[in-house]
Amino acid sequence: MEPLIQVTGLGKDYPLAGGGLTPVLRDLDLSIAPGEFVAIMGPSGSGKSTFMNILGCLDTPSAGAYHLAGQPVAKLDPDRLAELRNRHIGFVFQGFNLLQRSSILDNVGLPLLYAGIAKAERRRRAQALLEQVGLGHRADARPNQLSGGQQQRVAIARALANQPPLILADEPTGNLDTQTSNEIMALFSRLNAERGITLILVTHEPDIARYARRLVRFKDGHIVHDGEVRL
């Protein structure tokens, strides 16, 4: 089976204010197959967020290669890159990143708008997704009328809008209490088990990482562990 994600010799440097470069990622090799559930852990500054930005096509590597669904990402022009991101990746963030002045129905439908889907079909699909995350009855609500856990469910529904094979979740439970965090992680686990969606999750919390089946640890820009979750 062809990997969904393949990085080879991946490196990322950032310029220093006084000149020169500081390495953030160093010579990474990693392969992730379709349907895996991977937790990424590491201390602050270890490179895990930079790595997730590269996987999400939000940043580009300074060295090495990244293939997503067989596509050499570094060789794509901005339009093709945006299309690949829209159709292949769903994003879930710690801060939810919802449009506060729009209904949650419109928030969920936003990726479909970018994909050129007509309004009536957009609303139909968005409503169906809200039903799947238990919020169909709140479609007209604004994000600030919902709890944190409900807002994260909206963000997950939005991430699923274009039926992407990959979801990248960056500290998705960081703003939630323990019970709500477990509910969100149970939803992720169900999406992975029932739909075969590949999930890559950044977390600082061992209890959250235990939901994954594979653990990748970063330290000082290197991968120092890649194996089963044993926390």
Side-chain angles (χ1 to χ4, degrees):
M1 181 184 297
E2 183 180 54
L4 179 63
I5 286 171
Q6 182 79 55
V7 300
T8 309
L10 194 77
K12 181 65 180 181
D13 301 326
Y14 285 112
L16 294 169
L21 297 171
T22 182
V24 179
L25 299 176
R26 310 169 192 233
D27 197 28
L28 303 184
D29 294 325
L30 187 70
S31 178
I32 297 176
E36 285 202 80
F37 190 166
V38 182
I40 295 178
M41 300 187 76
S44 296
S46 62
K48 59 188 184 299
S49 292
T50 298
F51 182 66
M52 285 285 275
N53 284 338
I54 291 173
L55 293 188
C57 303
L58 301 171
D59 200 353
T60 55
S62 304
Y66 169 34
H67 286 75
L68 173 61
Q71 296 272 356
V73 173
K75 297 182 179 180
L76 300 178
D77 62 48
D79 288 344
R80 183 69 187 91
L81 198 61
E83 181 183 349
L84 183 72
R85 189 165 55 238
N86 185 254
R87 296 191 178 278
H88 286 268
I89 306 171
F91 296 93
V92 181
F93 303 97
Q94 178 177 350
F96 318 134
N97 288 18
L98 302 176
L99 301 177
Q100 294 299 317
R101 295 186 179 182
S102 298
S103 69
I104 64 171
L105 185 74
D106 288 340
N107 269 279
V108 172
L110 197 59
L112 299 170
L113 174 64
Y114 294 149
I117 305 300
K119 183 176 181 179
E121 177 63 11
R122 235 173 27 235
R123 292 180 68 84
R124 186 193 69 78
R125 291 194 200 178
Q127 180 66 41
L129 287 164
L130 285 174
E131 298 284 354
Q132 290 172 28
V133 299
L135 289 170
H137 63 296
R138 301 297 307 278
D140 293 330
R142 300 292 190 268
N144 63 8
Q145 296 174 308
L146 303 179
S147 69
Q150 289 172 326
Q151 290 187 63
Q152 196 61 294
R153 287 177 179 272
V154 174
I156 293 169
R158 180 185 58 192
L160 295 170
N162 282 324
Q163 299 180 315
L166 171 65
I167 288 181
L168 301 178
D170 192 356
E171 296 282 0
T173 62
N175 288 334
L176 305 177
D177 60 52
T178 300
Q179 179 178 337
T180 306
S181 295
N182 288 332
E183 291 171 358
I184 293 299
M185 293 309 302
L187 176 56
F188 277 133
S189 295
R190 191 164 69 247
L191 292 170
N192 175 252
E194 295 178 2
R195 299 196 193 181
I197 294 173
T198 305
L199 276 159
I200 303 177
L201 167 84
V202 167
T203 183
H204 284 96
E205 303 169 73
D207 287 350
I208 297 301
R210 287 191 185 98
Y211 282 89
R213 293 194 296 273
R214 178 180 173 188
L215 175 63
V216 176
R217 285 190 183 274
F218 277 69
K219 184 178 181 181
D220 297 329
H222 296 281
I223 293 174
V224 294
H225 171 86
D226 182 2
E228 292 183 17
V229 176
R230 292 178 180 175
L231 297 168

